């Protein structure tokens, strides 16, 4: 039985900061393996709310995650591009536990521009139909917060603790 293949680099970043573009560019490189599923969110281990479950795709167990990397062992650079790792406090320790030498690429964006871009995406996809300020206020005052539970418009722009 072969050894598990773990990514040796992770693209993490603020939602709507360019992680998808970087993922697409790097997938074209002949020495880089990135799975077809851009955001497995494996190290976040999200638990989406029922109303967001259809929006949030993720890999929930190690077997599914390893399946994404079938054939990757011949590539010198193997990656995972999941923006949720920036927000999840447990993600760094989980990544370190399986790949202590992993490299992390962090992409940030002006927090207000980031929140507005996320709002526009949500509005255009029919997630909500409120004006921007009302959407921010409603999300900010929600008692239940989390990746796949609330939009986290403000929280995802907090880049320091």
């Amino acid at each position: 039985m072969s050894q598990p293949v773990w990514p040796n680099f992770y693209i993490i970043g603020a939602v709507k900061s360019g992680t998808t573009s970087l993922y697409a560019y790097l997938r074209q490189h002949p020495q880089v393996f990135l799975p077809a599923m851009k955001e497995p969110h494996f190290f976040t281990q999200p638990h989406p709310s029922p109303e967001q479950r259809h929006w949030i795709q993720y890999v929930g167990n190690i077997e599914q995650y390893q399946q994404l990397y079938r054939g990757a062992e011949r590539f010198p650079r193997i990656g995972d591009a999941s923006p949720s790792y920036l927000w999840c406090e447990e993600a760094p320790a989980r990544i370190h536990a399986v790949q202590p030498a992993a490299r992390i690429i962090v992409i940030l964006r002006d927090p207000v521009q980031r929140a507005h871009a996320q709002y526009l995406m949500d509005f255009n996809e029919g997630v909500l139909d409120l004006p921007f300020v009302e959407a921010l206020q409603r999300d900010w005052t929600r008692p239940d917060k989390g990746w796949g539970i609330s939009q986290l418009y403000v929280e995802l722009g907090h880049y320091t603790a």
Side-chain angles (χ1 to χ4, degrees), residues 61-96:
N61 64 56
I62 193 169
E63 292 80 18
Q64 292 173 329
Y65 191 70
Q66 287 295 302
Q67 191 71 10
L68 295 175
Y69 294 94
R70 180 182 281 169
E73 58 277 343
R74 63 185 178 87
F75 291 84
R77 298 291 173 247
I78 302 166
D80 175 339
S82 296
S84 63
Y85 300 162
L86 179 64
W87 185 78
C88 177
E89 291 182 20
E90 295 85 10
R94 291 173 181 158
I95 291 169
H96 187 266

Side-chain angles (χ1 to χ4, degrees), residues 34-139:
L34 282 157
M37 181 181 198
K38 179 200 169 232
E39 299 181 11
H41 303 294
F42 176 71
F43 294 99
T44 304
Q45 300 178 0
H47 300 286
S49 63
E51 68 268 12
Q52 290 207 21
R53 193 161 284 131
H54 66 286
W55 297 108
I56 305 291
Q57 294 183 352
Y58 64 95
V59 173
N61 64 56
I62 193 169
E63 292 80 18
Q64 292 173 329
Y65 191 70
Q66 287 295 302
Q67 191 71 10
L68 295 175
Y69 294 94
R70 180 182 281 169
E73 58 277 343
R74 63 185 178 87
F75 291 84
R77 298 291 173 247
I78 302 166
D80 175 339
S82 296
S84 63
Y85 300 162
L86 179 64
W87 185 78
C88 177
E89 291 182 20
E90 295 85 10
R94 291 173 181 158
I95 291 169
H96 187 266
V98 298
Q99 188 61 284
R103 303 284 191 211
I104 309 293
I105 300 169
V106 179
I107 303 176
L108 303 177
R109 182 176 182 182
D110 174 271
V112 175
Q113 292 177 358
R114 190 219 63 73
H116 191 253
Q118 181 185 353
Y119 161 79
L120 290 175
M121 177 184 70
D122 290 346
F123 186 86
N124 291 332
E125 291 180 355
V127 174
L128 52 78
D129 62 356
L130 299 172
F132 179 55
V133 172
E134 288 180 39
L136 286 177
Q137 289 171 333
R138 186 181 86 182
D139 189 64

Side-chain angles (χ1 to χ4, degrees), residues 136-147:
L136 286 177
Q137 289 171 333
R138 186 181 86 182
D139 189 64
W140 181 253
T141 58
R142 281 183 68 139
D144 53 339
K145 299 275 189 166
W147 192 270

Side-chain angles (χ1 to χ4, degrees), residues 3-17:
Q3 290 280 52
V5 175
W6 294 100
N8 52 31
F9 77 92
Y10 295 82
I11 300 170
I12 68 172
V15 172
K16 307 308 294 174
S17 67

